Coordinates of all heavy atoms in Angstrom, one line a residue:
S1 N -28.7 6.5 -7.7 CA -29.4 5.3 -8.1 C -29.5 4.4 -6.9 O -28.7 4.5 -6.0 CB -28.7 4.6 -9.3 OG -27.5 3.9 -8.9
A2 N -30.4 3.4 -7.0 CA -30.6 2.5 -5.9 C -29.3 1.6 -5.7 O -29.0 1.3 -4.5 CB -31.8 1.6 -6.2
M3 N -28.6 1.2 -6.8 CA -27.5 0.4 -6.6 C -26.4 1.2 -5.9 O -25.7 0.6 -5.0 CB -26.9 -0.1 -8.0 CG -25.8 -1.0 -7.9 SD -25.4 -1.8 -9.4 CE -24.1 -0.8 -10.0
M4 N -26.2 2.4 -6.2 CA -25.1 3.2 -5.6 C -25.5 3.4 -4.1 O -24.6 3.3 -3.2 CB -24.9 4.5 -6.3 CG -24.3 4.4 -7.6 SD -22.7 3.6 -7.6 CE -21.7 4.9 -6.8
E5 N -26.7 3.6 -3.8 CA -27.2 3.8 -2.4 C -26.9 2.5 -1.6 O -26.5 2.5 -0.5 CB -28.7 4.2 -2.3 CG -29.1 4.6 -1.0 CD -28.4 5.9 -0.5 OE1 -28.0 6.7 -1.3 OE2 -28.2 5.9 0.8
R6 N -27.2 1.4 -2.2 CA -27.0 0.1 -1.6 C -25.5 -0.1 -1.3 O -25.1 -0.6 -0.2 CB -27.5 -1.1 -2.5 CG -27.6 -2.4 -1.7 CD -28.3 -3.4 -2.5 NE -27.3 -4.4 -2.9 CZ -27.4 -5.2 -3.9 NH1 -28.3 -5.2 -4.7 NH2 -26.4 -6.1 -4.1
M7 N -24.6 0.3 -2.3 CA -23.2 0.1 -2.1 C -22.7 1.0 -0.9 O -21.8 0.6 -0.2 CB -22.5 0.4 -3.4 CG -22.6 -0.7 -4.4 SD -22.2 -2.4 -3.7 CE -20.5 -2.2 -3.2
K8 N -23.3 2.2 -0.8 CA -22.9 3.1 0.2 C -23.2 2.5 1.6 O -22.4 2.5 2.5 CB -23.6 4.5 0.1 CG -23.0 5.4 -1.0 CD -23.8 6.7 -1.0 CE -23.6 7.4 -2.3 NZ -24.4 8.6 -2.4
N9 N -24.4 1.9 1.7 CA -24.8 1.3 2.9 C -24.0 0.1 3.3 O -23.6 -0.1 4.4 CB -26.3 0.8 2.8 CG -27.3 2.0 2.8 OD1 -26.9 3.1 3.2 ND2 -28.5 1.8 2.3
L10 N -23.6 -0.7 2.3 CA -22.7 -1.8 2.5 C -21.3 -1.3 2.9 O -20.7 -1.9 3.8 CB -22.6 -2.6 1.2 CG -21.6 -3.8 1.3 CD1 -22.1 -4.8 2.4 CD2 -21.6 -4.5 -0.1
S11 N -20.9 -0.3 2.3 CA -19.6 0.3 2.7 C -19.5 0.7 4.1 O -18.6 0.5 4.9 CB -19.2 1.5 1.8 OG -18.0 2.1 2.2
I12 N -20.6 1.4 4.6 CA -20.7 1.8 6.0 C -20.7 0.6 6.9 O -20.0 0.6 7.9 CB -21.9 2.7 6.2 CG1 -21.7 4.0 5.4 CG2 -22.2 3.0 7.7 CD1 -22.9 4.9 5.3
A13 N -21.5 -0.4 6.5 CA -21.6 -1.6 7.4 C -20.3 -2.3 7.5 O -19.9 -2.8 8.6 CB -22.7 -2.6 6.8
T14 N -19.5 -2.4 6.4 CA -18.3 -3.1 6.5 C -17.2 -2.4 7.4 O -16.3 -3.0 7.8 CB -17.7 -3.3 5.1 OG1 -17.5 -2.1 4.4 CG2 -18.6 -4.2 4.3
K15 N -17.4 -1.1 7.6 CA -16.5 -0.4 8.5 C -16.5 -1.1 9.9 O -15.5 -1.2 10.6 CB -16.8 1.0 8.7 CG -16.8 1.8 7.4 CD -15.6 2.5 7.1 CE -15.7 3.4 5.9 NZ -14.7 3.1 4.9
F16 N -17.6 -1.7 10.2 CA -17.8 -2.4 11.5 C -17.3 -3.8 11.5 O -17.0 -4.4 12.5 CB -19.2 -2.3 12.0 CG -19.7 -0.9 12.2 CD1 -20.6 -0.3 11.3 CD2 -19.3 -0.2 13.4 CE1 -21.0 1.0 11.5 CE2 -19.8 1.1 13.6 CZ -20.6 1.7 12.7
M17 N -17.2 -4.4 10.2 CA -16.9 -5.7 10.1 C -15.4 -5.9 9.7 O -14.9 -7.0 9.5 CB -17.7 -6.4 9.0 CG -19.2 -6.4 9.3 SD -20.2 -7.3 8.1 CE -20.1 -6.2 6.7
W18 N -14.7 -4.8 9.5 CA -13.3 -4.9 9.0 C -12.4 -5.3 10.1 O -12.6 -4.9 11.2 CB -12.9 -3.5 8.5 CG -11.7 -3.5 7.6 CD1 -10.4 -3.2 8.0 CD2 -11.6 -4.0 6.3 NE1 -9.6 -3.4 7.0 CE2 -10.2 -3.9 6.0 CE3 -12.5 -4.5 5.4 CZ2 -9.7 -4.2 4.7 CZ3 -12.0 -4.8 4.1 CH2 -10.6 -4.7 3.8
P19 N -11.3 -6.0 9.9 CA -10.9 -6.5 8.6 C -11.6 -7.7 8.1 O -12.1 -8.5 8.9 CB -9.4 -6.8 8.8 CG -9.3 -7.2 10.3 CD -10.4 -6.3 11.0
I20 N -11.6 -7.9 6.8 CA -12.3 -9.1 6.2 C -11.4 -10.3 6.7 O -10.2 -10.3 6.5 CB -12.4 -9.0 4.7 CG1 -13.3 -7.8 4.3 CG2 -12.8 -10.2 4.1 CD1 -13.2 -7.4 2.9
P21 N -12.1 -11.3 7.2 CA -11.3 -12.5 7.7 C -10.6 -13.2 6.5 O -11.1 -13.3 5.4 CB -12.3 -13.4 8.3 CG -13.7 -12.8 8.0 CD -13.5 -11.4 7.4
D22 N -9.4 -13.7 6.8 CA -8.6 -14.4 5.8 C -9.1 -15.9 5.9 O -9.0 -16.5 6.9 CB -7.1 -14.3 6.1 CG -6.3 -15.1 5.2 OD1 -6.9 -15.7 4.2 OD2 -5.1 -15.3 5.4
R23 N -9.6 -16.3 4.8 CA -10.1 -17.7 4.7 C -9.2 -18.6 3.9 O -9.6 -19.5 3.2 CB -11.5 -17.7 4.0 CG -12.5 -16.9 4.7 CD -13.6 -17.7 5.4 NE -14.8 -17.0 5.8 CZ -14.8 -16.3 7.0 NH1 -13.8 -16.3 7.8 NH2 -15.9 -15.7 7.4
G24 N -7.9 -18.2 3.8 CA -6.9 -19.0 3.1 C -6.6 -18.5 1.7 O -5.9 -19.2 1.0
L25 N -7.2 -17.4 1.3 CA -7.0 -16.9 -0.1 C -5.6 -16.6 -0.3 O -5.0 -17.0 -1.4 CB -7.9 -15.7 -0.3 CG -7.7 -15.0 -1.7 CD1 -8.1 -16.0 -2.8 CD2 -8.5 -13.7 -1.8
R26 N -4.9 -16.0 0.6 CA -3.5 -15.6 0.5 C -2.6 -16.8 0.1 O -1.8 -16.7 -0.8 CB -3.0 -15.0 1.7 CG -1.5 -14.7 1.7 CD -1.1 -14.1 3.1 NE -1.6 -12.8 3.3 CZ -1.0 -11.7 3.0 NH1 0.1 -11.7 2.5 NH2 -1.6 -10.5 3.3
S27 N -2.9 -17.9 0.7 CA -2.0 -19.1 0.4 C -2.4 -19.8 -1.0 O -1.6 -20.6 -1.5 CB -2.1 -20.1 1.5 OG -3.5 -20.6 1.6
R28 N -3.5 -19.4 -1.6 CA -3.9 -20.0 -2.8 C -3.6 -19.2 -4.0 O -3.6 -19.7 -5.2 CB -5.4 -20.4 -2.8 CG -5.7 -21.5 -1.7 CD -7.1 -22.0 -1.8 NE -8.1 -21.0 -1.9 CZ -8.8 -20.6 -0.8 NH1 -8.6 -21.1 0.4 NH2 -9.8 -19.7 -1.0
L29 N -3.3 -17.9 -3.9 CA -3.1 -17.0 -5.0 C -2.0 -17.4 -5.9 O -2.0 -17.2 -7.1 CB -3.0 -15.5 -4.5 CG -4.2 -14.9 -3.9 CD1 -3.8 -13.5 -3.3 CD2 -5.4 -14.8 -4.9
E30 N -0.9 -17.9 -5.3 CA 0.3 -18.3 -6.1 C 0.0 -19.4 -7.1 O 0.7 -19.6 -8.0 CB 1.4 -18.8 -5.1 CG 1.1 -20.1 -4.4 CD 2.1 -20.5 -3.5 OE1 3.2 -21.0 -3.9 OE2 1.9 -20.3 -2.3
Y31 N -1.2 -20.1 -7.0 CA -1.5 -21.2 -7.9 C -2.3 -20.7 -9.1 O -2.5 -21.5 -10.0 CB -2.3 -22.3 -7.2 CG -1.5 -22.9 -6.1 CD1 -1.8 -22.7 -4.7 CD2 -0.3 -23.7 -6.3 CE1 -1.1 -23.2 -3.7 CE2 0.4 -24.2 -5.3 CZ 0.1 -24.0 -4.0 OH 0.8 -24.5 -3.0
I32 N -2.6 -19.4 -9.2 CA -3.3 -18.9 -10.4 C -2.4 -18.9 -11.5 O -1.3 -18.3 -11.4 CB -3.9 -17.5 -10.1 CG1 -5.0 -17.6 -9.0 CG2 -4.5 -16.9 -11.3 CD1 -5.5 -16.3 -8.5
E33 N -2.8 -19.5 -12.6 CA -1.9 -19.6 -13.8 C -2.5 -18.7 -15.0 O -1.7 -18.4 -15.9 CB -1.8 -21.0 -14.3 CG -1.0 -21.9 -13.2 CD -0.9 -23.3 -13.7 OE1 -1.4 -23.7 -14.8 OE2 -0.3 -24.1 -12.9
A34 N -3.7 -18.4 -14.9 CA -4.3 -17.6 -16.0 C -3.8 -16.2 -16.0 O -3.5 -15.6 -14.9 CB -5.9 -17.6 -15.9
P35 N -3.7 -15.5 -17.1 CA -3.4 -14.1 -17.1 C -4.4 -13.4 -16.3 O -5.6 -13.6 -16.4 CB -3.5 -13.7 -18.6 CG -3.3 -15.0 -19.3 CD -3.9 -16.1 -18.5
T36 N -3.9 -12.5 -15.4 CA -4.8 -11.9 -14.4 C -4.6 -10.4 -14.3 O -3.5 -9.9 -14.2 CB -4.5 -12.5 -13.0 OG1 -4.6 -13.9 -13.0 CG2 -5.4 -11.9 -11.9
L37 N -5.7 -9.7 -14.5 CA -5.7 -8.2 -14.3 C -6.5 -7.9 -13.1 O -7.7 -8.3 -12.9 CB -6.4 -7.6 -15.5 CG -6.6 -6.1 -15.4 CD1 -5.2 -5.3 -15.3 CD2 -7.4 -5.5 -16.6
I38 N -5.9 -7.2 -12.1 CA -6.6 -6.8 -10.9 C -7.0 -5.3 -11.1 O -6.1 -4.5 -11.3 CB -5.6 -6.9 -9.7 CG1 -5.2 -8.4 -9.6 CG2 -6.3 -6.4 -8.4 CD1 -3.9 -8.6 -8.9
I39 N -8.3 -5.0 -11.1 CA -8.7 -3.7 -11.3 C -9.2 -3.2 -10.0 O -10.0 -3.8 -9.3 CB -9.8 -3.6 -12.4 CG1 -9.3 -4.1 -13.7 CG2 -10.4 -2.2 -12.5 CD1 -10.4 -4.1 -14.8
H40 N -8.8 -2.0 -9.6 CA -9.1 -1.4 -8.3 C -9.4 0.1 -8.4 O -8.7 0.8 -9.1 CB -7.9 -1.7 -7.3 CG -8.4 -1.6 -5.9 ND1 -8.7 -2.8 -5.2 CD2 -8.6 -0.6 -5.1 CE1 -9.0 -2.5 -4.0 NE2 -9.0 -1.2 -3.9
G41 N -10.4 0.5 -7.7 CA -10.7 2.0 -7.7 C -9.7 2.7 -6.7 O -9.5 2.2 -5.6
A42 N -9.2 3.8 -7.2 CA -8.2 4.5 -6.4 C -8.8 5.0 -5.0 O -8.1 5.1 -4.0 CB -7.6 5.7 -7.1
N43 N -10.1 5.2 -5.1 CA -10.8 5.8 -3.9 C -11.7 4.8 -3.2 O -12.7 5.1 -2.6 CB -11.6 7.0 -4.3 CG -10.7 8.1 -4.9 OD1 -9.6 8.3 -4.6 ND2 -11.3 8.7 -6.0
D44 N -11.4 3.5 -3.3 CA -12.2 2.4 -2.7 C -12.1 2.5 -1.2 O -11.1 2.4 -0.6 CB -11.7 1.1 -3.2 CG -12.6 -0.1 -2.8 OD1 -13.4 0.0 -1.9 OD2 -12.6 -1.1 -3.6
G45 N -13.3 2.8 -0.6 CA -13.4 2.9 0.8 C -13.7 1.6 1.5 O -13.7 1.5 2.7
L46 N -14.0 0.6 0.7 CA -14.4 -0.8 1.2 C -13.2 -1.7 1.3 O -12.9 -2.3 2.4 CB -15.4 -1.4 0.3 CG -16.0 -2.7 0.8 CD1 -16.7 -2.6 2.1 CD2 -17.1 -3.2 -0.3
V47 N -12.4 -1.7 0.3 CA -11.2 -2.5 0.2 C -10.0 -1.6 -0.1 O -10.0 -1.1 -1.2 CB -11.3 -3.7 -0.8 CG1 -10.0 -4.5 -0.8 CG2 -12.5 -4.6 -0.5
P48 N -9.1 -1.4 0.8 CA -7.9 -0.5 0.5 C -7.1 -0.9 -0.7 O -7.0 -2.1 -1.0 CB -7.1 -0.6 1.8 CG -8.0 -1.1 2.8 CD -9.0 -2.0 2.1
P49 N -6.7 0.1 -1.5 CA -5.9 -0.2 -2.7 C -4.6 -1.1 -2.5 O -4.1 -1.7 -3.4 CB -5.5 1.2 -3.3 CG -6.6 2.0 -2.8 CD -7.0 1.5 -1.4
T50 N -4.2 -1.1 -1.3 CA -3.0 -1.9 -1.0 C -3.3 -3.4 -1.2 O -2.3 -4.2 -1.5 CB -2.5 -1.7 0.5 OG1 -3.6 -2.0 1.4 CG2 -2.0 -0.4 0.7
Y51 N -4.5 -3.8 -1.1 CA -4.9 -5.2 -1.4 C -4.6 -5.5 -2.9 O -4.1 -6.6 -3.2 CB -6.3 -5.5 -1.1 CG -6.6 -5.8 0.3 CD1 -6.6 -4.8 1.3 CD2 -6.9 -7.1 0.7 CE1 -6.9 -5.1 2.6 CE2 -7.1 -7.5 2.0 CZ -7.1 -6.4 2.9 OH -7.4 -6.7 4.3
A52 N -4.9 -4.6 -3.8 CA -4.6 -4.9 -5.2 C -3.1 -5.1 -5.5 O -2.7 -6.1 -6.2 CB -5.1 -3.7 -6.1
H53 N -2.3 -4.3 -4.8 CA -0.8 -4.5 -5.0 C -0.3 -5.8 -4.3 O 0.6 -6.4 -4.8 CB -0.1 -3.3 -4.5 CG -0.5 -2.1 -5.3 ND1 -0.2 -1.9 -6.7 CD2 -1.3 -1.0 -5.0 CE1 -0.7 -0.8 -7.1 NE2 -1.4 -0.2 -6.1
E54 N -0.9 -6.1 -3.2 CA -0.6 -7.4 -2.5 C -1.0 -8.6 -3.4 O -0.2 -9.5 -3.5 CB -1.2 -7.4 -1.1 CG -0.8 -8.7 -0.3 CD 0.6 -8.8 0.1 OE1 1.4 -7.9 -0.2 OE2 1.0 -9.8 0.6
F55 N -2.2 -8.5 -4.0 CA -2.6 -9.6 -4.8 C -1.7 -9.7 -6.0 O -1.3 -10.8 -6.4 CB -4.0 -9.4 -5.3 CG -5.1 -9.8 -4.3 CD1 -4.8 -9.9 -3.0 CD2 -6.4 -10.0 -4.8 CE1 -5.8 -10.2 -2.1 CE2 -7.4 -10.3 -3.9 CZ -7.1 -10.5 -2.5
Q56 N -1.2 -8.6 -6.6 CA -0.3 -8.6 -7.7 C 1.0 -9.3 -7.3 O 1.6 -10.1 -8.1 CB 0.0 -7.2 -8.2 CG 0.9 -7.2 -9.4 CD 1.4 -5.8 -9.8 OE1 1.3 -4.9 -9.0 NE2 1.8 -5.7 -11.1
R57 N 1.5 -9.0 -6.1 CA 2.7 -9.6 -5.6 C 2.5 -11.1 -5.5 O 3.4 -11.9 -5.8 CB 3.1 -9.0 -4.3 CG 4.4 -9.5 -3.7 CD 4.7 -8.8 -2.4 NE 3.9 -9.4 -1.3 CZ 4.2 -10.6 -0.8 NH1 5.1 -11.4 -1.2 NH2 3.4 -11.0 0.2
L58 N 1.3 -11.6 -5.1 CA 1.1 -13.0 -4.9 C 0.6 -13.8 -6.1 O 0.7 -15.0 -6.1 CB 0.1 -13.1 -3.7 CG 0.5 -12.6 -2.4 CD1 -0.6 -12.6 -1.4 CD2 1.7 -13.4 -1.8
I59 N 0.1 -13.1 -7.1 CA -0.3 -13.8 -8.3 C 0.7 -13.7 -9.4 O 1.0 -12.6 -9.9 CB -1.7 -13.3 -8.8 CG1 -2.8 -13.4 -7.8 CG2 -2.1 -14.0 -10.1 CD1 -4.1 -12.7 -8.1
P60 N 1.4 -14.7 -9.8 CA 2.5 -14.6 -10.7 C 2.1 -14.0 -12.0 O 1.1 -14.4 -12.6 CB 2.9 -16.1 -10.9 CG 2.4 -16.8 -9.7 CD 1.2 -16.1 -9.3
G61 N 2.9 -13.0 -12.5 CA 2.7 -12.4 -13.7 C 1.4 -11.5 -13.8 O 1.1 -11.0 -14.9
S62 N 0.8 -11.2 -12.7 CA -0.5 -10.4 -12.8 C -0.2 -8.9 -13.0 O 1.0 -8.5 -12.8 CB -1.3 -10.6 -11.5 OG -0.6 -10.2 -10.4
K63 N -1.2 -8.2 -13.4 CA -1.1 -6.8 -13.6 C -2.1 -6.1 -12.7 O -3.2 -6.6 -12.5 CB -1.2 -6.4 -15.0 CG -0.4 -7.2 -16.0 CD 0.7 -6.3 -16.5 CE 1.5 -7.0 -17.6 NZ 2.8 -7.5 -17.2
V64 N -1.9 -4.8 -12.3 CA -2.8 -4.0 -11.6 C -3.2 -2.8 -12.4 O -2.3 -2.2 -13.0 CB -2.3 -3.6 -10.2 CG1 -3.2 -2.5 -9.6 CG2 -2.1 -4.8 -9.3
A65 N -4.4 -2.5 -12.5 CA -4.9 -1.2 -13.1 C -5.7 -0.5 -12.0 O -6.7 -1.0 -11.5 CB -5.8 -1.5 -14.3
V66 N -5.2 0.6 -11.5 CA -5.9 1.5 -10.6 C -6.6 2.5 -11.3 O -6.1 3.3 -12.1 CB -4.9 2.1 -9.5 CG1 -5.6 3.0 -8.6 CG2 -4.1 1.0 -8.8
I67 N -8.0 2.6 -11.1 CA -8.8 3.5 -11.8 C -9.0 4.7 -11.0 O -9.6 4.7 -9.9 CB -10.2 2.8 -12.1 CG1 -10.0 1.5 -12.9 CG2 -11.1 3.8 -12.9 CD1 -9.4 1.6 -14.2
E68 N -8.5 5.9 -11.4 CA -8.6 7.1 -10.7 C -10.1 7.6 -10.8 O -10.8 7.3 -11.8 CB -7.8 8.2 -11.4 CG -6.3 7.9 -11.2 CD -5.8 7.9 -9.8 OE1 -6.3 8.6 -8.9 OE2 -4.9 7.0 -9.5
G69 N -10.5 8.2 -9.7 CA -11.9 8.8 -9.7 C -13.0 7.7 -9.5 O -14.1 7.9 -9.7
A70 N -12.5 6.5 -9.1 CA -13.5 5.4 -8.8 C -13.3 4.9 -7.4 O -12.2 4.9 -6.9 CB -13.2 4.3 -9.8
G71 N -14.4 4.4 -6.8 CA -14.3 3.8 -5.5 C -14.4 2.3 -5.7 O -13.6 1.7 -6.5
H72 N -15.4 1.6 -5.0 CA -15.5 0.2 -5.0 C -16.1 -0.4 -6.3 O -16.0 -1.6 -6.5 CB -16.3 -0.2 -3.8 CG -16.2 -1.7 -3.5 ND1 -15.0 -2.3 -3.1 CD2 -17.1 -2.7 -3.5 CE1 -15.2 -3.6 -2.9 NE2 -16.5 -3.8 -3.2
L73 N -16.7 0.5 -7.1 CA -17.4 0.0 -8.3 C -16.8 0.7 -9.5 O -17.5 1.5 -10.2 CB -18.9 0.2 -8.2 CG -19.6 -0.5 -7.1 CD1 -21.1 -0.1 -7.1 CD2 -19.5 -2.0 -7.4
P74 N -15.6 0.5 -9.9 CA -15.0 1.2 -11.0 C -15.7 1.0 -12.3 O -15.7 1.9 -13.2 CB -13.5 0.7 -11.0 CG -13.5 -0.5 -10.3 CD -14.6 -0.4 -9.3
M75 N -16.3 -0.2 -12.5 CA -17.0 -0.5 -13.7 C -18.3 0.4 -13.9 O -18.7 0.6 -15.0 CB -17.4 -2.0 -13.8 CG -18.4 -2.5 -12.8 SD -18.0 -2.4 -11.1 CE -17.1 -3.9 -10.9
V76 N -18.8 0.9 -12.7 CA -20.0 1.7 -12.8 C -19.6 3.2 -12.7 O -20.1 4.0 -13.4 CB -20.9 1.4 -11.6 CG1 -22.1 2.4 -11.5 CG2 -21.4 0.0 -11.7
E77 N -18.6 3.5 -11.9 CA -18.2 4.9 -11.6 C -17.3 5.5 -12.8 O -17.4 6.7 -13.0 CB -17.4 5.0 -10.3 CG -18.3 4.6 -9.1 CD -17.5 4.3 -7.9 OE1 -16.7 3.3 -7.9 OE2 -17.7 5.0 -6.9
Q78 N -16.5 4.6 -13.4 CA -15.6 5.1 -14.5 C -15.6 4.0 -15.6 O -14.6 3.4 -15.9 CB -14.2 5.3 -14.0 CG -14.0 6.4 -12.9 CD -14.3 7.8 -13.5 OE1 -14.1 8.0 -14.7 NE2 -14.7 8.7 -12.7
P79 N -16.8 3.8 -16.3 CA -16.9 2.7 -17.2 C -15.9 2.8 -18.4 O -15.4 1.8 -18.8 CB -18.3 2.8 -17.7 CG -18.8 4.1 -17.3 CD -18.0 4.6 -16.2
A80 N -15.6 4.0 -18.9 CA -14.6 4.1 -20.0 C -13.2 3.7 -19.6 O -12.6 3.0 -20.3 CB -14.7 5.6 -20.5
A81 N -12.8 4.2 -18.4 CA -11.5 3.8 -17.9 C -11.4 2.3 -17.6 O -10.4 1.7 -17.8 CB -11.1 4.6 -16.7
F82 N -12.5 1.8 -17.1 CA -12.5 0.4 -16.8 C -12.4 -0.5 -18.0 O -11.6 -1.4 -18.1 CB -13.9 0.1 -16.1 CG -14.0 -1.4 -15.6 CD1 -13.5 -1.8 -14.4 CD2 -14.7 -2.3 -16.4 CE1 -13.7 -3.1 -14.0 CE2 -14.9 -3.6 -16.0 CZ -14.4 -4.0 -14.8
S83 N -13.2 -0.1 -19.1 CA -13.1 -0.8 -20.3 C -11.7 -0.7 -21.0 O -11.2 -1.6 -21.5 CB -14.2 -0.3 -21.3 OG -15.4 -0.6 -20.8
A84 N -11.1 0.5 -20.9 CA -9.8 0.8 -21.5 C -8.8 -0.1 -20.8 O -7.9 -0.6 -21.4 CB -9.4 2.2 -21.4
A85 N -8.9 -0.3 -19.5 CA -7.9 -1.1 -18.7 C -8.0 -2.6 -19.2 O -7.0 -3.2 -19.4 CB -8.2 -1.0 -17.2
I86 N -9.2 -3.1 -19.4 CA -9.4 -4.4 -19.9 C -8.9 -4.6 -21.3 O -8.2 -5.5 -21.6 CB -10.9 -4.8 -19.8 CG1 -11.3 -4.9 -18.3 CG2 -11.2 -6.2 -20.5 CD1 -12.8 -5.1 -18.1
E87 N -9.3 -3.6 -22.2 CA -8.8 -3.7 -23.6 C -7.3 -3.7 -23.7 O -6.7 -4.4 -24.4 CB -9.4 -2.6 -24.4 CG -10.9 -2.7 -24.6 CD -11.6 -1.5 -25.2 OE1 -10.9 -0.5 -25.6 OE2 -12.8 -1.5 -25.4
G88 N -6.7 -2.8 -22.9 CA -5.2 -2.8 -22.8 C -4.6 -4.1 -22.4 O -3.6 -4.5 -22.9
F89 N -5.2 -4.7 -21.4 CA -4.7 -6.0 -20.9 C -4.8 -7.1 -21.9 O -4.0 -7.9 -22.0 CB -5.5 -6.3 -19.6 CG -5.1 -7.6 -19.0 CD1 -3.8 -7.7 -18.3 CD2 -5.9 -8.7 -19.0 CE1 -3.4 -8.9 -17.7 CE2 -5.5 -9.9 -18.4 CZ -4.3 -10.0 -17.8
L90 N -6.0 -7.1 -22.6 CA -6.2 -8.2 -23.6 C -5.4 -8.0 -24.9 O -5.3 -9.0 -25.6 CB -7.7 -8.2 -23.9 CG -8.6 -8.7 -22.7 CD1 -10.1 -8.6 -23.1 CD2 -8.2 -10.1 -22.2
S91 N -5.0 -6.8 -25.2 CA -4.3 -6.6 -26.4 C -2.8 -6.9 -26.3 O -2.2 -7.2 -25.4 CB -4.5 -5.2 -27.0 OG -4.0 -4.3 -26.1

């Protein structure tokens, strides 16, 4: 599909722009108070899965769901697993 092709092109472009600059997000994550689920594709070539676990460490009480068989768009690549992760978190 066109969306997947666009994401592949973006993924390739970001290889040249990596690492993503830190704009102070790290220092603000500790202030998140809302229940937080971090969903990450196990095969994400754009943002390494280690970011999900680092965000979990920095966001108090947060949870991580790593979606197997998904890259940067787990909601498109594995919609059933994505929905199940959200439903499990909300219940």
Side-chain angles (χ1 to χ4, degrees):
S1 77
M3 185 168 96
M4 291 302 290
E5 191 62 32
R6 193 171 114 205
M7 286 309 300
K8 284 182 198 173
N9 291 339
L10 178 61
S11 176
I12 291 166
T14 56
K15 302 263 187 235
F16 298 104
M17 298 184 292
W18 195 259
I20 296 171
D22 179 5
R23 304 248 192 275
L25 177 62
R26 174 183 293 267
S27 64
R28 295 190 309 263
L29 292 175
E30 67 182 285
Y31 298 109
I32 296 174
E33 296 179 0
T36 303
L37 175 64
I38 301 154
I39 300 178
H40 203 95
N43 304 320
D44 190 333
L46 185 58
V47 179
T50 55
Y51 276 76
H53 298 290
E54 180 67 4
F55 279 21
Q56 180 186 25
R57 186 180 74 74
L58 295 170
I59 300 171
S62 63
K63 307 255 187 256
V64 169
V66 176
I67 307 293
E68 295 299 324
H72 193 65
L73 296 173
M75 70 294 279
V76 173
E77 299 165 297
Q78 297 293 334
F82 182 84
S83 295
I86 293 172
E87 289 171 6
F89 179 73
L90 293 175
S91 62

